[in-house]
Coordinates of all heavy atoms in Angstrom, one line a residue:
M1 N 0.9 -1.2 0.0 CA 0.0 0.0 0.0 C 0.9 1.2 0.0 O 2.0 1.2 0.6 CB -0.9 0.0 1.3 CG -1.9 -1.1 1.3 SD -3.1 -0.8 2.6 CE -2.0 -0.9 4.0
I2 N 0.4 2.3 -0.6 CA 1.1 3.5 -0.7 C 0.2 4.7 -0.7 O -0.9 4.6 -1.4 CB 2.1 3.5 -1.9 CG1 3.1 4.7 -1.8 CG2 1.4 3.5 -3.2 CD1 4.3 4.5 -2.6
K3 N 0.6 5.8 0.0 CA -0.3 7.0 0.0 C -0.1 7.8 -1.3 O 1.1 8.0 -1.7 CB 0.1 7.9 1.2 CG -0.9 9.1 1.3 CD -0.7 9.7 2.6 CE 0.5 10.6 2.7 NZ 0.6 11.4 3.9
L4 N -1.2 8.1 -2.0 CA -1.1 8.8 -3.2 C -1.3 10.3 -3.0 O -0.6 11.1 -3.6 CB -2.2 8.3 -4.2 CG -2.4 9.1 -5.5 CD1 -1.2 8.9 -6.4 CD2 -3.6 8.7 -6.2
F5 N -2.3 10.7 -2.2 CA -2.7 12.1 -2.2 C -3.4 12.4 -0.9 O -4.0 11.6 -0.3 CB -3.7 12.3 -3.4 CG -4.3 13.7 -3.5 CD1 -3.6 14.6 -4.2 CD2 -5.5 14.0 -2.9 CE1 -4.1 15.9 -4.4 CE2 -6.0 15.3 -3.1 CZ -5.3 16.2 -3.8
T6 N -3.1 13.7 -0.5 CA -3.9 14.1 0.7 C -4.2 15.6 0.5 O -3.5 16.3 -0.1 CB -3.1 13.9 2.0 OG1 -4.0 14.2 3.1 CG2 -1.8 14.7 2.1
S7 N -5.4 16.0 1.1 CA -5.8 17.4 1.0 C -6.8 17.7 2.1 O -7.5 16.8 2.5 CB -6.5 17.6 -0.4 OG -7.1 18.9 -0.4
E8 N -6.8 18.9 2.5 CA -7.8 19.3 3.5 C -9.2 19.4 2.8 O -10.2 19.4 3.4 CB -7.5 20.6 4.1 CG -7.4 21.8 3.2 CD -7.0 23.1 3.8 OE1 -7.2 23.2 5.1 OE2 -6.5 24.0 3.1
N9 N -9.2 19.4 1.4 CA -10.4 19.4 0.6 C -10.9 18.0 0.5 O -10.5 17.3 -0.4 CB -10.1 20.1 -0.7 CG -11.4 20.3 -1.5 OD1 -12.4 19.7 -1.2 ND2 -11.3 21.1 -2.6
R10 N -11.9 17.7 1.3 CA -12.5 16.3 1.3 C -13.1 16.0 -0.1 O -13.0 14.9 -0.5 CB -13.5 16.3 2.4 CG -14.3 15.1 2.5 CD -15.1 15.2 3.8 NE -14.1 15.4 4.9 CZ -13.9 14.6 5.9 NH1 -14.7 13.5 6.0 NH2 -13.1 14.8 6.9
L11 N -13.7 17.0 -0.7 CA -14.4 16.7 -2.0 C -13.3 16.3 -3.0 O -13.6 15.4 -3.9 CB -15.1 18.0 -2.5 CG -16.4 18.3 -1.8 CD1 -16.9 19.6 -2.4 CD2 -17.4 17.2 -2.0
K12 N -12.2 17.0 -3.0 CA -11.1 16.7 -3.9 C -10.6 15.2 -3.7 O -10.4 14.5 -4.7 CB -10.0 17.6 -3.7 CG -8.8 17.5 -4.6 CD -9.0 18.6 -5.6 CE -7.9 18.4 -6.7 NZ -8.0 19.4 -7.7
V13 N -10.5 14.8 -2.5 CA -10.0 13.5 -2.1 C -11.0 12.5 -2.7 O -10.6 11.5 -3.3 CB -9.9 13.3 -0.6 CG1 -9.7 11.9 -0.2 CG2 -8.7 14.2 -0.1
W14 N -12.3 12.7 -2.5 CA -13.3 11.8 -3.1 C -13.3 11.8 -4.6 O -13.5 10.8 -5.2 CB -14.7 12.2 -2.5 CG -14.9 11.6 -1.2 CD1 -14.7 12.2 0.0 CD2 -15.3 10.2 -0.9 NE1 -15.0 11.3 1.0 CE2 -15.4 10.1 0.5 CE3 -15.6 9.1 -1.7 CZ2 -15.7 8.9 1.1 CZ3 -16.0 7.9 -1.1 CH2 -16.0 7.8 0.2
Q15 N -13.1 13.0 -5.2 CA -13.1 13.1 -6.6 C -12.0 12.2 -7.2 O -12.2 11.5 -8.1 CB -12.8 14.6 -7.0 CG -13.0 14.8 -8.5 CD -12.6 16.3 -8.8 OE1 -12.1 17.0 -7.9 NE2 -12.9 16.7 -10.0
I16 N -10.8 12.2 -6.5 CA -9.7 11.5 -7.0 C -10.0 10.0 -6.8 O -9.7 9.2 -7.6 CB -8.4 11.9 -6.2 CG1 -8.0 13.2 -6.8 CG2 -7.3 10.9 -6.4 CD1 -6.9 14.0 -6.1
K17 N -10.6 9.6 -5.7 CA -10.9 8.2 -5.4 C -11.8 7.7 -6.5 O -11.6 6.6 -7.1 CB -11.5 8.0 -4.0 CG -11.9 6.6 -3.8 CD -12.5 6.4 -2.4 CE -12.9 5.0 -2.1 NZ -14.2 4.7 -2.7
E18 N -12.8 8.5 -6.8 CA -13.8 8.0 -7.8 C -13.2 7.9 -9.2 O -13.4 7.0 -10.0 CB -15.0 9.0 -7.9 CG -16.0 8.6 -6.8 CD -17.1 9.7 -6.6 OE1 -17.3 10.5 -7.5 OE2 -17.7 9.7 -5.5
M19 N -12.3 8.9 -9.5 CA -11.6 8.8 -10.8 C -10.7 7.6 -10.9 O -10.7 6.9 -11.9 CB -10.7 10.1 -10.9 CG -9.8 10.1 -12.1 SD -8.9 11.7 -12.2 CE -7.6 11.3 -10.9
L20 N -10.0 7.2 -9.8 CA -9.2 6.0 -9.8 C -10.1 4.8 -10.0 O -9.7 3.8 -10.7 CB -8.4 6.0 -8.5 CG -7.3 7.1 -8.4 CD1 -6.7 7.0 -7.0 CD2 -6.3 7.0 -9.4
E21 N -11.2 4.7 -9.3 CA -12.0 3.6 -9.3 C -12.6 3.4 -10.7 O -12.7 2.2 -11.2 CB -13.2 3.7 -8.3 CG -12.7 3.3 -6.9 CD -13.8 3.4 -5.9 OE1 -14.8 4.0 -6.2 OE2 -13.6 2.8 -4.8
E22 N -12.9 4.5 -11.4 CA -13.4 4.4 -12.7 C -12.4 3.8 -13.7 O -12.7 3.1 -14.7 CB -13.9 5.8 -13.3 CG -15.3 6.1 -12.9 CD -15.7 7.5 -13.3 OE1 -15.1 8.0 -14.3 OE2 -16.6 8.1 -12.6
A23 N -11.1 4.1 -13.4 CA -10.0 3.6 -14.2 C -9.6 2.2 -13.8 O -8.7 1.6 -14.3 CB -8.8 4.6 -14.1
G24 N -10.3 1.7 -12.8 CA -10.0 0.3 -12.3 C -8.8 0.2 -11.4 O -8.2 -0.9 -11.3
I25 N -8.4 1.3 -10.8 CA -7.2 1.3 -9.9 C -7.7 1.1 -8.5 O -8.5 1.9 -8.0 CB -6.4 2.6 -10.0 CG1 -5.9 2.7 -11.5 CG2 -5.3 2.6 -9.0 CD1 -5.2 4.0 -11.7
P26 N -7.3 0.0 -7.8 CA -7.8 -0.2 -6.4 C -7.2 0.8 -5.4 O -6.0 1.0 -5.4 CB -7.3 -1.6 -6.1 CG -6.4 -2.1 -7.3 CD -6.3 -1.0 -8.3
C27 N -8.1 1.4 -4.7 CA -7.7 2.5 -3.8 C -8.7 2.6 -2.6 O -9.8 2.0 -2.7 CB -7.6 3.8 -4.5 SG -9.2 4.3 -5.2
F28 N -8.3 3.3 -1.6 CA -9.3 3.5 -0.5 C -8.9 4.8 0.2 O -7.8 5.4 0.0 CB -9.3 2.3 0.5 CG -7.9 2.1 1.1 CD1 -7.6 2.6 2.4 CD2 -6.9 1.3 0.5 CE1 -6.4 2.4 3.0 CE2 -5.7 1.1 1.1 CZ -5.4 1.6 2.3
I29 N -9.8 5.3 1.1 CA -9.6 6.6 1.8 C -9.3 6.3 3.2 O -9.9 5.5 3.9 CB -10.8 7.5 1.6 CG1 -10.8 8.0 0.1 CG2 -10.7 8.7 2.5 CD1 -12.0 9.0 -0.1
K30 N -8.2 7.0 3.7 CA -7.9 6.9 5.1 C -8.2 8.2 5.8 O -8.2 9.3 5.1 CB -6.4 6.7 5.3 CG -6.0 5.3 5.5 CD -4.5 5.2 5.9 CE -4.0 3.9 6.3 NZ -2.6 3.8 6.7
N31 N -8.5 8.2 7.1 CA -8.8 9.4 7.8 C -10.1 10.1 7.4 O -10.3 11.3 7.6 CB -7.7 10.5 7.7 CG -6.4 10.1 8.5 OD1 -6.5 9.3 9.3 ND2 -5.3 10.8 8.1
E32 N -10.9 9.3 6.8 CA -12.2 9.8 6.3 C -13.0 10.6 7.4 O -13.6 11.6 7.1 CB -13.0 8.7 5.7 CG -14.2 9.2 5.0 CD -15.1 8.1 4.4 OE1 -14.6 6.9 4.4 OE2 -16.2 8.3 4.1
Y33 N -12.9 10.0 8.6 CA -13.7 10.5 9.6 C -12.9 11.2 10.7 O -13.3 11.4 11.8 CB -14.6 9.4 10.3 CG -15.5 8.8 9.3 CD1 -15.2 7.5 8.9 CD2 -16.6 9.4 8.7 CE1 -16.0 6.8 7.9 CE2 -17.3 8.8 7.7 CZ -17.1 7.5 7.4 OH -17.9 6.9 6.4
A34 N -11.6 11.5 10.3 CA -10.7 12.0 11.3 C -11.1 13.4 11.8 O -10.8 13.8 13.0 CB -9.3 12.0 10.8
I35 N -11.7 14.3 10.9 CA -12.0 15.6 11.3 C -13.0 15.6 12.4 O -14.0 14.9 12.3 CB -12.4 16.5 10.1 CG1 -11.2 16.7 9.2 CG2 -13.0 17.8 10.6 CD1 -11.5 17.3 7.9
G36 N -12.8 16.4 13.5 CA -13.7 16.4 14.6 C -13.1 15.5 15.7 O -13.3 15.8 16.9
G37 N -12.4 14.5 15.4 CA -11.7 13.6 16.4 C -10.2 13.9 16.4 O -9.5 13.1 16.9
A38 N -9.8 15.0 15.8 CA -8.4 15.2 15.7 C -7.7 15.3 17.0 O -6.6 14.8 17.2 CB -8.1 16.5 14.8
G39 N -8.3 16.0 18.0 CA -7.8 16.1 19.3 C -6.3 16.5 19.4 O -5.9 17.6 19.1
E40 N -5.5 15.5 19.8 CA -4.1 15.8 20.1 C -3.2 15.8 18.8 O -2.1 16.4 18.8 CB -3.5 14.7 21.0 CG -4.2 14.9 22.4 CD -4.1 13.6 23.2 OE1 -3.2 12.8 22.9 OE2 -4.9 13.3 24.1
I41 N -3.7 15.2 17.7 CA -2.8 15.2 16.6 C -2.9 16.5 15.7 O -4.0 17.2 15.8 CB -3.1 14.0 15.7 CG1 -4.5 13.8 15.3 CG2 -2.5 12.7 16.3 CD1 -4.8 12.8 14.3
A42 N -1.9 16.8 15.0 CA -1.9 18.0 14.2 C -2.9 17.9 13.1 O -3.2 16.9 12.6 CB -0.5 18.2 13.6
P43 N -3.5 19.1 12.8 CA -4.6 19.1 11.8 C -4.1 18.4 10.5 O -4.9 17.7 9.8 CB -4.9 20.6 11.5 CG -4.4 21.3 12.8 CD -3.3 20.4 13.3
F44 N -2.9 18.6 10.1 CA -2.4 18.0 8.8 C -2.6 16.5 8.8 O -2.9 15.9 7.8 CB -1.0 18.4 8.6 CG -0.4 17.9 7.2 CD1 -0.7 18.6 6.1 CD2 0.3 16.8 7.2 CE1 -0.3 18.2 4.9 CE2 0.8 16.3 6.0 CZ 0.5 17.0 4.8
D45 N -2.3 15.9 10.0 CA -2.4 14.4 10.1 C -3.8 13.9 9.9 O -4.0 12.8 9.7 CB -1.8 14.0 11.4 CG -0.3 14.2 11.5 OD1 0.3 14.2 10.4 OD2 0.2 14.3 12.6
A46 N -4.8 14.8 10.1 CA -6.2 14.4 10.1 C -6.8 14.6 8.7 O -8.0 14.3 8.5 CB -6.9 15.2 11.1
W47 N -6.0 15.1 7.8 CA -6.6 15.3 6.4 C -6.9 13.9 5.8 O -6.2 12.9 6.1 CB -5.6 15.9 5.5 CG -5.4 17.4 5.7 CD1 -6.0 18.1 6.7 CD2 -4.6 18.3 5.0 NE1 -5.6 19.4 6.6 CE2 -4.8 19.6 5.6 CE3 -3.8 18.1 3.9 CZ2 -4.1 20.7 5.1 CZ3 -3.1 19.3 3.4 CH2 -3.3 20.5 4.0
P48 N -8.0 13.8 5.1 CA -8.3 12.5 4.4 C -7.2 12.2 3.4 O -6.7 13.1 2.8 CB -9.7 12.8 3.8 CG -9.9 14.2 3.7 CD -9.0 14.8 4.8
E49 N -6.9 10.9 3.2 CA -5.8 10.5 2.3 C -6.4 9.5 1.3 O -7.2 8.6 1.7 CB -4.7 9.9 3.1 CG -4.1 10.8 4.2 CD -3.2 10.1 5.1 OE1 -3.2 8.9 5.2 OE2 -2.4 10.8 5.8
V50 N -5.9 9.6 0.1 CA -6.2 8.5 -0.8 C -5.0 7.6 -0.9 O -3.8 8.0 -1.1 CB -6.4 9.0 -2.3 CG1 -6.7 7.9 -3.2 CG2 -7.5 10.1 -2.3
W51 N -5.2 6.3 -0.7 CA -4.2 5.3 -0.7 C -4.4 4.3 -1.8 O -5.6 4.0 -2.1 CB -4.2 4.5 0.7 CG -3.5 5.2 1.8 CD1 -4.0 6.4 2.4 CD2 -2.3 4.9 2.5 NE1 -3.2 6.7 3.4 CE2 -2.1 5.9 3.5 CE3 -1.4 3.9 2.3 CZ2 -1.0 5.9 4.3 CZ3 -0.3 3.9 3.1 CH2 -0.1 4.8 4.1
L52 N -3.3 3.8 -2.4 CA -3.4 2.8 -3.4 C -3.2 1.4 -2.7 O -2.3 1.3 -1.9 CB -2.4 3.0 -4.5 CG -2.5 4.3 -5.3 CD1 -1.4 4.3 -6.3 CD2 -3.8 4.5 -5.9
T53 N -4.0 0.5 -3.1 CA -3.8 -0.9 -2.5 C -2.5 -1.5 -3.0 O -1.9 -2.2 -2.3 CB -5.0 -1.7 -2.9 OG1 -6.2 -1.0 -2.6 CG2 -5.1 -3.0 -2.1
D54 N -2.2 -1.1 -4.2 CA -1.1 -1.7 -4.9 C -0.1 -0.7 -5.4 O -0.5 0.2 -6.3 CB -1.6 -2.6 -6.1 CG -0.6 -3.6 -6.6 OD1 0.6 -3.3 -6.4 OD2 -1.0 -4.6 -7.1
D55 N 1.1 -0.7 -5.0 CA 2.1 0.3 -5.4 C 2.4 0.4 -6.9 O 2.8 1.4 -7.4 CB 3.5 0.0 -4.7 CG 3.4 0.1 -3.2 OD1 2.3 0.0 -2.7 OD2 4.5 0.2 -2.6
E56 N 2.1 -0.7 -7.6 CA 2.3 -0.8 -9.1 C 1.5 0.3 -9.8 O 1.9 0.7 -10.9 CB 1.8 -2.1 -9.6 CG 2.7 -3.3 -9.4 CD 2.1 -4.5 -9.9 OE1 1.3 -4.5 -10.9 OE2 2.3 -5.6 -9.3
W57 N 0.5 0.8 -9.2 CA -0.4 1.8 -9.9 C 0.1 3.2 -9.7 O -0.5 4.1 -10.2 CB -1.8 1.7 -9.4 CG -2.5 0.4 -9.8 CD1 -2.7 -0.7 -9.0 CD2 -3.1 0.1 -11.1 NE1 -3.4 -1.6 -9.7 CE2 -3.6 -1.2 -11.0 CE3 -3.1 0.8 -12.3 CZ2 -4.2 -1.8 -12.1 CZ3 -3.8 0.2 -13.4 CH2 -4.3 -1.1 -13.3
L58 N 1.1 3.4 -8.9 CA 1.5 4.7 -8.5 C 1.7 5.7 -9.6 O 1.2 6.8 -9.7 CB 2.7 4.7 -7.5 CG 3.1 6.1 -6.9 CD1 1.9 6.6 -6.1 CD2 4.3 6.0 -6.1
N59 N 2.6 5.3 -10.6 CA 2.9 6.2 -11.7 C 1.7 6.6 -12.4 O 1.5 7.8 -12.7 CB 3.9 5.5 -12.7 CG 5.3 5.6 -12.2 OD1 5.6 6.4 -11.3 ND2 6.1 4.8 -12.8
R60 N 0.8 5.7 -12.8 CA -0.4 6.0 -13.5 C -1.3 6.9 -12.7 O -1.8 7.9 -13.2 CB -1.1 4.7 -13.9 CG -2.3 5.0 -14.7 CD -2.8 3.9 -15.6 NE -4.1 4.2 -16.1 CZ -5.0 3.3 -16.3 NH1 -4.8 2.0 -16.0 NH2 -6.2 3.7 -16.7
A61 N -1.5 6.6 -11.4 CA -2.4 7.3 -10.6 C -1.8 8.8 -10.4 O -2.6 9.7 -10.4 CB -2.5 6.6 -9.2
E62 N -0.5 8.9 -10.3 CA 0.0 10.3 -10.1 C -0.2 11.1 -11.3 O -0.5 12.3 -11.2 CB 1.5 10.2 -9.8 CG 1.8 9.9 -8.3 CD 3.3 9.9 -7.9 OE1 4.1 9.6 -8.8 OE2 3.6 10.1 -6.8
K63 N -0.1 10.5 -12.5 CA -0.4 11.2 -13.7 C -1.8 11.7 -13.8 O -2.1 12.8 -14.2 CB -0.1 10.3 -14.9 CG 1.3 10.5 -15.5 CD 1.5 9.7 -16.8 CE 3.0 9.4 -16.9 NZ 3.2 8.1 -17.6
M64 N -2.7 10.8 -13.4 CA -4.1 11.2 -13.4 C -4.4 12.3 -12.5 O -5.2 13.2 -12.8 CB -5.0 10.0 -13.1 CG -5.0 8.9 -14.2 SD -5.8 7.4 -13.6 CE -7.5 8.0 -13.5
V65 N -3.8 12.3 -11.3 CA -4.0 13.4 -10.3 C -3.4 14.7 -10.9 O -4.1 15.7 -10.8 CB -3.3 13.1 -9.0 CG1 -3.3 14.3 -8.0 CG2 -4.0 11.9 -8.3
A66 N -2.3 14.6 -11.5 CA -1.6 15.8 -12.1 C -2.5 16.4 -13.2 O -2.7 17.6 -13.2 CB -0.3 15.5 -12.7
E67 N -3.1 15.6 -14.0 CA -4.0 16.1 -15.0 C -5.2 16.7 -14.5 O -5.7 17.7 -15.0 CB -4.5 14.9 -16.0 CG -3.4 14.6 -17.0 CD -3.6 13.2 -17.7 OE1 -4.8 12.7 -17.6 OE2 -2.7 12.7 -18.2
L68 N -5.7 16.1 -13.4 CA -6.9 16.7 -12.7 C -6.6 18.1 -12.2 O -7.4 19.0 -12.3 CB -7.3 15.8 -11.6 CG -8.7 16.1 -10.9 CD1 -9.8 15.7 -11.9 CD2 -8.8 15.3 -9.6
E69 N -5.4 18.3 -11.6 CA -5.0 19.6 -11.0 C -4.9 20.6 -12.2 O -5.2 21.7 -12.0 CB -3.6 19.4 -10.3 CG -3.6 18.4 -9.2 CD -4.0 19.0 -7.9 OE1 -4.5 20.1 -7.9 OE2 -3.9 18.3 -6.9
V70 N -4.4 20.2 -13.3 CA -4.2 21.1 -14.5 C -5.6 21.6 -14.9 O -5.8 22.8 -15.1 CB -3.5 20.4 -15.6 CG1 -3.6 21.3 -16.9 CG2 -2.0 20.2 -15.3
D71 N -6.5 20.6 -15.0 CA -7.9 21.0 -15.4 C -8.5 22.0 -14.5 O -9.1 23.0 -14.9 CB -8.8 19.8 -15.4 CG -8.6 19.0 -16.7 OD1 -7.8 19.5 -17.6 OD2 -9.1 17.9 -16.8
D72 N -8.3 21.8 -13.2 CA -8.8 22.7 -12.2 C -8.2 24.1 -12.2 O -8.9 25.1 -11.8 CB -8.6 22.1 -10.7 CG -9.6 21.0 -10.4 OD1 -10.4 20.7 -11.3 OD2 -9.4 20.4 -9.4
A73 N -7.0 24.2 -12.7 CA -6.3 25.4 -12.8 C -6.7 26.3 -13.9 O -6.5 27.5 -13.9 CB -4.8 25.2 -12.8
K74 N -7.4 25.7 -14.9 CA -7.8 26.5 -16.1 C -9.0 27.4 -15.7 O -10.0 26.9 -15.1 CB -8.3 25.6 -17.2 CG -7.1 24.9 -17.9 CD -7.6 24.1 -19.0 CE -6.5 23.2 -19.6 NZ -7.0 22.1 -20.5
P75 N -8.9 28.7 -16.0 CA -10.0 29.6 -15.6 C -11.2 29.4 -16.6 O -11.0 29.0 -17.7 CB -9.4 31.0 -15.8 CG -8.3 30.8 -16.8 CD -7.8 29.4 -16.7
S76 N -12.4 29.7 -16.1 CA -13.5 29.7 -17.0 C -13.5 30.9 -17.9 O -12.8 31.9 -17.6 CB -14.8 29.7 -16.1 OG -14.9 30.8 -15.3
W77 N -14.2 30.9 -19.0 CA -14.2 32.0 -19.9 C -15.6 32.2 -20.5 O -16.5 31.3 -20.4 CB -13.2 31.7 -21.1 CG -13.5 30.3 -21.7 CD1 -13.0 29.1 -21.3 CD2 -14.2 30.1 -22.9 NE1 -13.5 28.1 -22.1 CE2 -14.2 28.7 -23.1 CE3 -14.9 30.9 -23.8 CZ2 -14.8 28.1 -24.2 CZ3 -15.5 30.3 -24.9 CH2 -15.5 28.9 -25.1
V78 N -15.8 33.4 -21.0 CA -17.1 33.8 -21.5 C -17.1 33.8 -23.0 O -16.2 34.5 -23.6 CB -17.6 35.1 -20.9 CG1 -18.9 35.6 -21.5 CG2 -17.7 35.1 -19.4
C79 N -18.1 33.2 -23.6 CA -18.2 33.1 -25.1 C -18.5 34.5 -25.7 O -19.4 35.2 -25.2 CB -19.2 32.1 -25.5 SG -19.5 32.1 -27.3
K80 N -17.8 34.9 -26.7 CA -18.0 36.2 -27.4 C -19.3 36.2 -28.2 O -19.9 37.3 -28.4 CB -16.8 36.5 -28.3 CG -15.6 37.0 -27.6 CD -14.5 37.3 -28.7 CE -13.1 37.1 -28.1 NZ -12.2 36.5 -29.1
E81 N -19.7 35.0 -28.7 CA -20.9 34.9 -29.5 C -22.2 35.0 -28.7 O -23.1 35.8 -29.0 CB -20.9 33.6 -30.3 CG -19.7 33.5 -31.2 CD -19.6 34.5 -32.3 OE1 -20.6 35.0 -32.8 OE2 -18.4 35.0 -32.6
C82 N -22.3 34.2 -27.7 CA -23.6 34.1 -27.0 C -23.5 34.6 -25.5 O -24.5 34.6 -24.8 CB -24.1 32.7 -27.1 SG -23.2 31.5 -26.1
G83 N -22.3 34.9 -25.0 CA -22.2 35.4 -23.6 C -22.3 34.3 -22.6 O -22.3 34.6 -21.4
E84 N -22.3 33.0 -23.0 CA -22.4 31.9 -22.0 C -21.0 31.7 -21.4 O -20.0 31.8 -22.0 CB -22.8 30.6 -22.8 CG -23.1 29.5 -21.9 CD -24.4 29.8 -21.0 OE1 -25.3 30.3 -21.5 OE2 -24.3 29.5 -19.8
R85 N -21.1 31.4 -20.1 CA -19.8 31.1 -19.3 C -19.5 29.6 -19.5 O -20.3 28.7 -19.4 CB -20.0 31.4 -17.9 CG -18.8 31.1 -17.0 CD -18.8 31.8 -15.6 NE -18.7 33.2 -15.7 CZ -17.5 33.8 -15.8 NH1 -16.4 33.1 -15.9 NH2 -17.5 35.1 -15.8
N86 N -18.2 29.4 -19.9 CA -17.7 28.0 -20.1 C -16.7 27.6 -19.1 O -15.8 28.5 -18.7 CB -17.2 27.8 -21.5 CG -18.2 27.9 -22.6 OD1 -18.9 27.0 -22.8 ND2 -18.4 29.1 -23.1
E87 N -16.6 26.4 -18.7 CA -15.5 25.9 -17.9 C -14.2 25.9 -18.6 O -14.2 25.8 -19.9 CB -15.8 24.4 -17.4 CG -17.0 24.2 -16.5 CD -16.8 24.9 -15.2 OE1 -15.7 25.0 -14.7 OE2 -17.8 25.5 -14.7
G88 N -13.1 26.1 -17.9 CA -11.8 26.2 -18.5 C -11.4 24.9 -19.3 O -10.6 25.0 -20.2
T89 N -12.0 23.8 -19.0 CA -11.7 22.6 -19.7 C -12.3 22.5 -21.0 O -11.9 21.7 -21.9 CB -12.2 21.4 -18.8 OG1 -13.5 21.6 -18.4 CG2 -11.3 21.2 -17.6
F90 N -13.4 23.3 -21.3 CA -14.0 23.3 -22.7 C -13.2 24.3 -23.6 O -13.0 25.4 -23.3 CB -15.4 23.8 -22.6 CG -16.3 22.9 -21.9 CD1 -17.0 23.3 -20.7 CD2 -16.6 21.6 -22.4 CE1 -17.8 22.4 -20.1 CE2 -17.4 20.7 -21.7 CZ -18.0 21.1 -20.5
A91 N -12.8 23.8 -24.8 CA -12.1 24.6 -25.7 C -13.1 25.4 -26.5 O -12.7 26.5 -27.0 CB -11.2 23.7 -26.6
I92 N -14.3 24.9 -26.7 CA -15.3 25.6 -27.5 C -16.5 25.8 -26.7 O -16.8 25.0 -25.7 CB -15.7 24.9 -28.8 CG1 -16.1 23.4 -28.5 CG2 -14.5 24.9 -29.8 CD1 -16.6 22.7 -29.7
C93 N -17.4 26.8 -27.0 CA -18.6 27.1 -26.3 C -19.5 25.9 -26.3 O -19.9 25.4 -27.4 CB -19.2 28.3 -26.9 SG -20.8 28.7 -26.0
W94 N -20.0 25.5 -25.1 CA -20.9 24.3 -25.1 C -22.3 24.6 -25.6 O -23.0 23.8 -26.1 CB -21.0 23.7 -23.7 CG -21.6 24.7 -22.7 CD1 -21.0 25.6 -21.9 CD2 -23.0 24.8 -22.4 NE1 -21.9 26.3 -21.1 CE2 -23.1 25.8 -21.4 CE3 -24.2 24.2 -22.8 CZ2 -24.4 26.2 -20.8 CZ3 -25.4 24.6 -22.3 CH2 -25.5 25.6 -21.3
R95 N -22.6 25.9 -25.7 CA -24.0 26.3 -26.2 C -24.0 26.5 -27.7 O -24.8 25.9 -28.4 CB -24.4 27.6 -25.5 CG -25.7 28.1 -26.0 CD -26.3 29.3 -25.3 NE -27.0 28.9 -24.1 CZ -27.6 29.7 -23.3 NH1 -27.5 31.0 -23.5 NH2 -28.3 29.3 -22.2
C96 N -23.0 27.3 -28.2 CA -23.1 27.6 -29.6 C -22.0 27.1 -30.5 O -22.0 27.2 -31.7 CB -23.2 29.1 -29.8 SG -21.7 30.0 -29.4
N97 N -21.0 26.4 -29.8 CA -19.9 25.9 -30.5 C -19.1 26.9 -31.3 O -18.5 26.6 -32.3 CB -20.2 24.7 -31.5 CG -20.7 23.5 -30.7 OD1 -20.2 23.2 -29.6 ND2 -21.8 22.9 -31.1
Ligands
ZN101 ZN1 -21.3 30.6 -27.3

């Protein structure tokens, strides 16, 4: 087993887990319920973590996480033709193309 990813953003951790599962990569979440019971441990230790069951998948899984981060970094944009707001991941307007 090996730790792939951790974030204070629980949604992000789940997003990554679901992405890996869709790709057939065995994984699980640790510290899922740690928040609230953190007590004596540092907050960082209580972040939810995505773990791979099998180290063999690490390279592939890291690439997928990196691609996800790139997508998230793209700003949304507004179409000049119809004024519709598009996600940064869309190259063309989803409404009018
Ligand atoms: Zn448009």
Side-chain angles (χ1 to χ4, degrees):
M1 291 190 299
I2 189 159
K3 184 166 79 175
L4 172 70
F5 180 84
T6 186
S7 170
E8 62 184 338
N9 184 346
R10 178 168 302 242
L11 285 177
K12 185 100 187 180
V13 170
W14 274 97
Q15 189 183 9
I16 285 170
K17 177 178 179 280
E18 278 169 17
M19 176 179 73
L20 294 174
E21 280 182 341
E22 273 175 28
I25 299 177
C27 61
F28 61 96
I29 289 183
K30 264 192 175 181
N31 286 346
E32 187 184 348
Y33 303 109
I35 291 172
E40 291 157 26
I41 52 172
F44 183 80
D45 289 337
W47 286 4
E49 301 169 342
V50 181
W51 283 68
L52 300 180
T53 312
D54 198 333
D55 298 17
E56 280 176 34
W57 292 103
L58 185 62
N59 276 346
R60 179 155 172 219
E62 277 184 335
K63 264 184 207 149
M64 290 172 68
V65 170
E67 280 166 17
L68 192 73
E69 303 275 7
V70 168
D71 281 352
D72 281 357
K74 287 180 186 165
S76 61
W77 52 279
V78 174
C79 176
K80 284 182 207 140
E81 301 298 323
C82 71
E84 190 63 47
R85 178 166 290 279
N86 290 278
E87 294 297 324
T89 48
F90 292 118
I92 53 172
C93 178
W94 64 269
R95 174 175 276 182
C96 70
N97 292 318

